[in-house]
Amino acid sequence: MPLRLSFLLLLGGFLQVLSAPAATAQKAAKLPSGDVFVDSKGVLRWQKTRQEVALFGVNYTAPFAYSYRAHQKLGVNVEQAIRQDVYHLARLGVDAFRVHVWDVEITDTTGNLLENEHLHLFDFLVNELKQRGIKLILTPIAYWNNGYPEKDSGTGFSSIYSKGEAYTNPRAIAAQERYLKQFLNHRNPYTKNLNREDPDILAFEVCNEPKYHQPEAQVTSFADRMAAAIRATGCRKPVFYNISENPDVYQAILNAKVDGLTYQWYPQGLVSNHTLRGNFLPYVDQYPIPYRTDARFRSKAKMVYEFESADIIQPVMYPFMARSFREAGMQWATQFAYDPMAIAYANTEYQTHYLNLAYTPAKALSLLIAGKAFRSVGRGQSFGRYPQDSVFGNFRVSYRLGLSELNSPEELYYTANTGTAPRQPARLQHLAGVGSSPVVRYGGTGAYFLDKLAPGVWRLEVMPDAMAIRDPFEKASLSKPVTQISWNDQPLALSLPDLGPNFSLRALNERNSYEAHTTDGRTTVRPGVYLVAASGKSTIAFTPRTIFNHGELRDFAAPKGFIFLEGPQQQVRHTAPAQATAGQPLRITATISGLVPTDSVFLVAQHYYGQTRILPMSTRSYANLEATVPAELLYPGQLRYWLVVKKGTQTLTFPGGFSGQPRDWDFAHNEHYEVPIVAAGAPLPLFQASRDQERIEAHGLAPNAWTDYVTLPDGTLALRLVQGPAQPNQPVATGPAASLRAFFGDKLAGRTTDLAGFTTVVVRARSSQPNASVSLTLTTKDAVSYAAPLALSTEVQEIRLPLSAFRPAALLLMPRPYPGFLPLHYQAPGAGSLKIAEAEVLHLTWDAANVTGSPANVDIESISLQ
């Protein structure tokens, strides 16, 4: 559906401009200047200092494809947007940038470089990155058209030649050679450098994710020819080549005349269409490359061109990934892809990825922490296996706390509330966080940064509040915001030794005149940049234009926040409990944005058509509210309830955000939340095929396996796992054929008092093969797994598995990690007996069989605790 014009007009002024472009005069660069080289042992080193390179950052695509079109559609100035985003990258400590250039948008079909808006914006981006001290490795050939998620409109050679043709069709090969030479000889009008001569462009990766097959000699010949085209320009920078995309012909790249190898990592697949929940740290515990002892591999430098914890919002994955990359010998790693701030509200660029400082503040700070880990962990250094490696060096990662943390004598960074005291408070130079710590107490939900400028003088930067209002990984649309930004005054308390309790705040960024003084260490602050000074400290040396972090002290960028065209500004995120135990109080929590101190929120609870109670909701923290439904209302049956927000004379009821409240005589809306109230000991569903389609992961793992939904003879819906016969010349499948993964931790929340009484797991299922090898695995919050075999019949039956029958087992890493050479299982050390209260994920796994004729299948209707 087209966006309304008014929506576009509102969004046109949606971004606040940086106070100033990055200053061209900079402090001494933190990174060694000049080109790099690969030594005889495959180590990428700085030419000038001979030190090893270790750079960490992102991909970012605003000049091209969908990102460019979306900025245009919203009326956003793309140069301004790039400048803001690059500032945020610098703020997050990013020092590496990579992108596969959309050649399809800057070439013609014969490979000639076109001077157009895309190339102009890319040149502008390169210059902005250089000014912020960020190094680049560029991939000139993307092999993609430019449509996703829309229709293709590119006109270059990648629009007429497929990946398979790219290395076999002589005309395609000639077009690529022509383009590579022209791209490397292109002079950036902003930097005045040829791309091949720019000291901040460290290397070139020839092409992005090519598609190859046997014979290997043809692959090697093509790779050599592309590398030769680059070197023919006079370029002496290292040439990297993708090896992980085509594991069947990896030796072809090991044999190629290239300086480095490139890899990617999507540890739990892509595009689940919902947020993945559970402990995924075992998925990123190691990155073992199968041919790592090969002398050809060891002679080449290694980089990760793309990585992401796709469909995961937890801020714990990146530091583990960074550490695992270093153990594998990687010297460069760039996440794919950082979301431009102008469109991050809807997460439309790549819905399976979501990373932006303003909109995903905790995840963004985990990237900052990961970068610190990448640069500090030694190449090849190991800290053991999970969970032993949850604390490594100055770093700590906790799935249970949703916390990534760096605590060194000079730095303290954290992604959630932490009780960790700074190692040496008096030596602290830099802090950043979401939530609170012993030295910073903050009431908002955005990120904040504190940087010491002089004894008793600090720079404070505060981002607006961010609140998730929808699952960001659902089907996306520019008209469907998933995160709401609010500009609020929030409480702040600082306990820094050199500040003391008596300090002042003075705004530095443009259009911000806020000032405050405190004598007890506590104040309020609104989004912006501030000079914080202890009483009596002179700040005359610090002005808004003072140089800071390759820019100026006043630099600041943040989205202005949204005005919704339909419905209230208040947005509620709440999911009703799966069940509640009769006779036990029930705590209801919700996240509600846009509230001010004078607003009040109530929960209207009704036992269907029976008793009704109006219960005030109390605030736990900003936007997070709760109320407890008393036991007397929770007798077996169904609880219906509504959330009511009162703003002055206006009353809004959720779900729906309707005017009025449920007890009004003319409140004619049927929408409500509901939860079944069951007797103690009633079965607790962990998976129901008829209800859980949008919250599970079900995948075929064998080459000829897939999943579907079917109805059983009694009319109920079942998830079907299917394995077809092998294709001609295809080997018989081994290992798991297909699997169901379901997170059920939230379903236990309303039945906590009953958990000790559950003794049995009941599976209602069938198999087309009487001897199918099927197992059920339950996994705890600490990723410890316990499995029991399932004996299925060709008829639908209830199979009862006593909890005592579950034994320690390996965890199947599903969704499947990519690349495919990565481990498929994780075995937790020292597992004791299963405690069902600790469990939160189930896997039903069907092992591959020798299928001939018709496909075989396993149908699962439900899995429950009894």
Side-chain angles (χ1 to χ4, degrees):
M1 180 185 294
L3 293 173
R4 293 177 175 82
L5 178 60
S6 53
F7 189 75
L8 291 173
L9 292 174
L10 285 167
L11 287 170
F14 144 84
L15 298 174
Q16 176 172 333
V17 184
L18 275 176
S19 299
T24 53
Q26 301 177 4
K27 293 182 179 179
K30 296 180 181 178
L31 299 172
S33 61
D35 287 343
V36 295
F37 71 100
V38 179
D39 71 14
S40 61
K41 295 183 179 180
V43 179
L44 189 66
R45 297 184 181 276
W46 297 104
Q47 192 77 253
K48 185 175 181 180
T49 66
R50 298 303 194 262
Q51 293 178 338
E52 290 190 17
V53 172
L55 299 172
F56 189 87
V58 300
N59 288 249
Y60 170 79
T61 68
F64 301 110
Y66 170 79
S67 183
Y68 170 82
R69 297 192 302 270
H71 282 78
Q72 296 291 312
K73 186 178 293 186
L74 297 178
V76 174
N77 181 293
V78 185
E79 287 189 1
Q80 175 183 314
I82 287 172
R83 185 178 290 121
Q84 293 174 327
D85 289 328
V86 172
Y87 167 67
H88 280 170
L89 296 180
R91 179 71 276 189
L92 291 172
V94 163
D95 55 16
F97 169 85
R98 178 264 181 188
V99 72
H100 55 64
V101 176
W102 267 265
D103 55 275
V104 76
E105 291 190 321
I106 60 171
T107 66
D108 62 20
T109 56
T110 61
N112 290 301
L113 188 67
L114 303 178
E115 296 284 344
N116 60 20
E117 179 70 2
H118 299 292
L119 185 61
H120 161 80
L121 288 172
F122 181 67
D123 289 338
F124 179 83
L125 170 61
V126 168
N127 188 53
E128 289 296 311
L129 292 164
K130 284 169 62 68
Q131 290 192 41
R132 292 289 180 182
I134 298 171
K135 305 300 182 182
L136 299 84
I137 292 181
L138 300 180
T139 306
I141 301 174
Y143 286 142
W144 301 119
N145 212 313
N146 67 344
Y148 181 87
E150 301 168 325
K151 292 182 179 180
D152 291 333
S153 59
T155 58
F157 60 84
S158 290
S159 69
I160 61 173
Y161 300 116
S162 68
K163 285 188 179 185
E165 291 179 286
Y167 80 106
T168 59
N169 186 312
R171 290 188 298 275
I173 295 171
Q176 291 170 84
E177 288 178 315
R178 184 176 297 111
Y179 163 62
L180 285 172
K181 292 175 181 178
Q182 293 184 20
F183 181 82
L184 267 71
N185 283 315
H186 168 68
R187 188 175 298 279
N188 186 318
Y190 297 97
T191 68
K192 311 304 181 186
N193 292 318
L194 299 179
N195 283 339
R196 62 179 170 86
E197 294 177 343
D198 192 321
D200 294 309
I201 300 176
L202 302 185
F204 294 94
E205 180 198 24
V206 174
C207 53
N208 180 74
E209 299 182 355
K211 187 66 175 177
Y212 299 140
H213 54 74
Q214 298 286 352
E216 291 182 343
Q218 189 176 24
V219 177
T220 302
S221 174
F222 175 76
D224 287 346
R225 190 165 170 179
M226 293 299 101
I230 289 176
R231 293 175 180 132
T233 65
C235 178
R236 295 297 176 260
K237 299 177 185 294
V239 176
F240 284 76
Y241 212 94
N242 183 295
I243 191 172
S244 58
E245 187 73 7
N246 300 276
D248 293 341
V249 294
Y250 75 91
Q251 297 210 49
I253 307 305
L254 290 181
N255 289 328
K257 296 182 179 69
V258 296
D259 305 293
L261 308 171
T262 72
Y263 294 83
Q264 81 275 64
W265 200 6
Y266 295 116
Q268 65 290 323
L270 295 166
V271 196
S272 290
N273 292 307
H274 60 264
T275 297
L276 296 177
R277 294 179 292 174
N279 186 348
F280 285 92
L281 290 177
Y283 288 62
V284 290
D285 189 48
Q286 57 179 322
Y287 193 86
I289 299 169
Y291 43 84
R292 55 190 176 275
T293 60
D294 191 303
R296 296 167 296 174
F297 169 81
R298 291 183 169 185
S299 69
K300 293 177 170 58
K302 295 90 183 172
M303 68 172 275
V304 178
Y305 66 95
E306 292 180 11
F307 71 89
E308 173 64 305
S309 55
D311 301 313
I312 291 178
I313 205 69
Q314 302 169 27
V316 297
M317 301 288 279
Y318 291 153
F320 254 48
M321 297 177 83
R323 191 212 62 231
S324 296
F325 286 144
R326 291 299 282 161
E327 183 180 359
M330 305 298 177
Q331 294 185 257
W332 173 287
T334 38
Q335 180 268 356
F336 190 92
Y338 186 84
D339 285 85
M341 187 170 66
I343 58 177
Y345 72 92
N347 192 27
T348 54
E349 185 181 28
Y350 295 96
Q351 73 176 70
T352 197
H353 308 270
Y354 199 25
L355 175 66
N356 178 271
L357 174 57
Y359 287 93
T360 66
K363 193 174 180 181
L365 286 193
S366 78
L367 186 86
L368 184 158
I369 294 166
K372 297 286 184 178
F374 191 85
R375 299 177 202 102
S376 64
V377 171
R379 182 174 50 85
Q381 185 176 4
S382 175
F383 293 89
R385 301 274 67 88
Y386 181 78
Q388 176 186 341
D389 54 0
S390 295
V391 177
F392 57 100
N394 295 319
F395 303 89
R396 177 167 74 113
V397 175
S398 171
Y399 162 71
R400 286 178 178 260
L401 298 176
L403 175 67
S404 292
E405 184 178 83
L406 164 59
N407 185 14
S408 73
E410 295 187 342
E411 296 175 303
L412 178 63
Y413 305 122
Y414 46 90
T415 62
N417 290 336
T418 179
T420 300
R423 186 165 293 177
Q424 296 185 38
R427 290 183 58 189
L428 277 176
Q429 301 292 315
H430 307 282
L431 297 95
V434 173
S436 295
S437 70
V439 289
V440 179
R441 299 284 177 181
Y442 180 60
T445 61
Y448 51 85
F449 302 83
L450 276 158
D451 298 280
K452 191 171 185 176
L453 304 176
V457 182
W458 293 72
R459 179 187 189 269
L460 169 67
E461 181 170 358
V462 180
M463 295 295 291
D465 295 317
M467 193 191 100
I469 57 176
R470 293 182 181 87
D471 188 330
F473 303 115
E474 295 174 349
K475 188 174 181 180
S477 167
L478 279 174
S479 61
K480 178 186 172 184
V482 298
T483 304
Q484 185 175 5
I485 296 293
S486 299
W487 288 56
N488 300 302
D489 290 358
Q490 294 287 10
L492 173 72
L494 301 179
S495 301
L496 295 168
D498 63 335
L499 275 182
N502 189 351
F503 59 83
S504 62
L505 282 83
R506 174 168 57 86
L508 294 171
N509 59 301
E510 291 184 354
R511 297 185 295 279
N512 185 0
S513 58
Y514 186 79
E515 293 188 15
H517 295 80
T518 180
T519 57
D520 61 1
R522 294 181 294 178
T523 184
T524 59
V525 66
R526 64 189 54 163
V529 177
Y530 301 89
L531 201 64
V532 183
S535 178
K537 287 289 181 180
S538 172
T539 60
I540 193 170
F542 303 101
T543 72
R545 302 298 298 269
T546 299
I547 299 300
F548 172 77
N549 193 27
H550 297 285
E552 299 176 346
L553 285 179
R554 63 176 180 167
D555 288 348
F556 182 70
K560 277 296 189 183
F562 276 93
I563 300 173
F564 290 89
L565 298 182
E566 296 179 0
Q569 278 193 271
Q570 274 64 49
Q571 296 293 312
V572 172
R573 191 167 191 190
H574 170 70
T575 301
Q579 288 183 344
T581 302
Q584 298 292 329
L586 177 65
R587 188 168 68 102
I588 302 290
T589 63
T591 304
I592 306 177
S593 69
L595 297 176
V596 297
T598 55
D599 298 339
S600 56
V601 183
F602 298 89
L603 186 146
V604 179
Q606 179 185 62
H607 191 282
Y608 207 64
Y609 290 121
Q611 300 179 49
T612 301
R613 287 288 189 90
I614 300 177
L615 307 167
M617 299 195 77
S618 58
T619 301
R620 295 185 298 162
S621 59
Y622 170 72
N624 295 309
L625 295 94
E626 66 177 20
T628 299
V629 182
E632 63 193 62
L633 207 60
L634 293 166
Y635 50 92
Q638 186 184 77
L639 181 74
R640 302 196 304 175
Y641 61 96
W642 300 261
L643 305 177
V644 179
V645 178
K646 290 190 174 182
K647 299 181 71 66
T649 60
Q650 183 185 27
T651 302
L652 300 171
T653 294
F654 296 87
F658 300 113
S659 182
Q661 56 182 313
R663 303 198 73 182
D664 293 343
W665 72 270
D666 57 350
F667 188 82
H669 305 285
N670 293 323
E671 289 84 350
H672 61 272
Y673 303 106
E674 62 185 36
V675 53
I677 309 166
V678 300
L684 173 60
L686 304 182
F687 164 74
Q688 294 172 286
S690 60
R691 299 173 62 94
D692 293 334
Q693 296 100 319
E694 303 303 321
R695 51 175 286 150
I696 64 164
E697 297 79 55
H699 297 283
L701 297 170
N704 53 334
W706 66 95
T707 62
D708 200 353
Y709 282 93
V710 298
T711 50
L712 300 177
D714 63 358
T716 56
L717 194 68
L719 170 68
R720 170 163 286 184
L721 311 180
V722 189
Q723 182 189 351
Q727 299 296 316
N729 301 319
Q730 185 181 56
V732 174
T734 59
S739 180
L740 156 70
R741 180 186 184 274
F743 178 85
F744 60 80
D746 54 342
K747 295 186 177 184
L748 304 184
R751 301 289 303 277
T752 54
T753 58
D754 295 347
L755 294 182
F758 289 118
T759 61
T760 306
V761 178
V762 178
V763 181
R764 183 170 166 81
R766 71 179 179 185
S767 170
S768 64
Q769 295 179 320
N771 297 317
S773 177
V774 183
S775 64
L776 181 67
T777 303
L778 301 178
T779 304
T780 70
K781 297 181 177 82
D782 296 320
V784 181
S785 293
Y786 303 83
L790 270 175
L792 300 184
S793 167
T794 55
E795 301 295 328
V796 179
Q797 291 184 341
E798 287 190 349
I799 301 93
R800 304 181 68 83
L801 299 173
L803 291 177
S804 59
F806 285 79
R807 297 287 182 265
L811 168 65
L812 174 66
L813 302 183
M814 200 283 289
R816 180 70 168 93
Y818 188 81
F821 60 69
L822 294 168
L824 191 56
H825 294 90
Y826 160 77
Q827 181 68 62
S833 59
L834 171 63
K835 295 179 176 62
I836 193 61
E838 289 292 298
E840 62 175 9
V841 173
L842 67 83
H843 277 96
L844 188 143
T845 305
W846 174 34
D847 287 341
N850 186 8
V851 178
T852 58
S854 300
N857 61 268
V858 170
D859 299 333
I860 312 110
E861 181 207 42
S862 63
I863 303 172
S864 63
L865 278 175
Q866 293 187 15

